[in-house]
Amino acid sequence: MMKKMLLNLLGILLFGVLIGYGASWFFQQGQMQEESTRVVITRDVPVREIQLYFVAPTGTFLVPESFDILACDDDVDCLRELVNGLISGSSQQNLPVLPKETKVLAVDLENDLVRINFSRQLVDFHPGGSLTELLSIYSLANSLNENFPYIRQLQILVEGEVLQTLKGHARIDQPIYADYRFSKPPLSGPPPESPQQPGESQDLSIEQLIQDNESSATY
């Protein structure tokens, strides 16, 4: 009699263990299936195509390049993404305009003026030089104005401070306006002496572009 009771008890325990194992296995399969479903499901993230200006392989002028950023409702967020796109660099073998180590600390928009506060790496890792600094500055100004035409002025800050120059040459102590002359291949020397026809545009030399920038910065 005692033996039969023990056998019945053992059977009940064994049955309970099997039931518990089965339930555990069932819930684990359901969780795995749910996780698998989450991985498979994808959503189309809306993007916005913008134009960014990078330095041409010759290193002497800016060229536009299409770039996708996440669509955003707030222009400040879009502006931040735009600048981060310039920092990340070209996908078409054009030269970079901003050091990859640079961080955007803040973006402040006030009417037609945008203030962008950069980390110190903007200066520390920039190669310097008159033309190189000008191309960096106007890649920013032109990219902003190209995609947000109402933005006419750019003020560059470094760690919250207004510096006189980017790295000893190009002035950044005053708001900067877009200048699309930097998107034309400049001449490598002085302009030719042949007379210019009425209504005909003439490319400026690298020296003239730098001189014009320095002259405008004194006002």
Side-chain angles (χ1 to χ4, degrees):
M1 184 68 176
M2 183 64 67
K3 185 176 181 180
K4 186 176 181 180
M5 291 178 61
L6 289 174
L7 289 174
N8 290 337
L9 182 59
L10 183 59
I12 292 172
L13 291 174
L14 182 59
F15 179 75
V17 169
L18 291 175
I19 290 295
Y21 176 79
S24 176
W25 179 87
F26 176 78
F27 286 118
Q28 287 178 1
Q29 292 299 312
Q31 184 177 6
M32 291 174 62
Q33 184 177 4
E34 182 181 355
E35 292 176 354
S36 176
T37 302
R38 286 200 297 266
V39 171
V40 171
I41 294 176
T42 58
R43 295 180 180 178
D44 293 331
V45 179
V47 297
R48 171 177 177 173
E49 183 178 293
I50 60 174
Q51 296 291 318
L52 300 181
Y53 284 89
F54 293 98
V55 178
T58 59
T60 55
F61 65 102
L62 299 172
V63 291
E65 182 177 315
S66 295
F67 192 89
D68 288 338
I69 63 173
L70 295 178
C72 39
D73 297 327
D74 188 349
D75 279 0
V76 170
D77 294 333
C78 289
L79 293 171
R80 181 185 291 271
E81 289 298 316
L82 183 153
V83 179
N84 283 331
L86 288 173
I87 293 173
S88 66
S90 169
S91 61
Q92 299 180 13
Q93 298 183 341
N94 293 311
L95 303 179
V97 292
L98 301 173
K100 288 186 177 295
E101 297 83 1
T102 307
K103 305 295 182 185
V104 179
L105 302 181
V107 176
D108 180 41
L109 187 57
E110 182 181 349
N111 298 324
D112 67 344
L113 170 67
V114 60
R115 298 182 185 88
I116 302 179
N117 187 19
F118 292 95
S119 65
R120 187 70 194 179
Q121 287 84 352
L122 173 66
V123 176
D124 293 344
F125 290 92
H126 197 282
S130 297
L131 182 60
T132 305
E133 292 179 34
L134 287 175
L135 292 177
S136 292
I137 291 170
Y138 286 103
S139 72
L140 271 166
N142 293 0
S143 296
L144 291 166
N145 180 254
E146 175 82 15
N147 298 282
F148 299 89
Y150 72 89
I151 294 180
R152 301 181 62 247
Q153 304 178 75
L154 162 68
Q155 179 68 68
I156 296 176
L157 306 175
V158 178
E159 301 285 351
E161 298 183 7
V162 176
L163 303 183
Q164 184 174 7
T165 65
L166 180 56
K167 199 165 184 176
H169 299 91
R171 299 281 295 273
I172 59 172
D173 54 343
Q174 297 292 330
I176 300 158
Y177 291 81
D179 190 340
Y180 292 95
R181 292 179 301 169
F182 288 91
S183 300
K184 296 181 179 180
L187 302 174
S188 59
E193 296 180 359
S194 58
Q196 185 176 350
Q197 299 298 322
E200 179 183 357
S201 64
Q202 187 176 36
D203 287 337
L204 297 175
S205 67
I206 295 174
E207 291 82 2
Q208 187 64 48
L209 287 170
I210 295 173
Q211 182 179 353
D212 288 350
N213 177 265
E214 291 175 347
S215 298
S216 63
T218 60
Y219 295 102

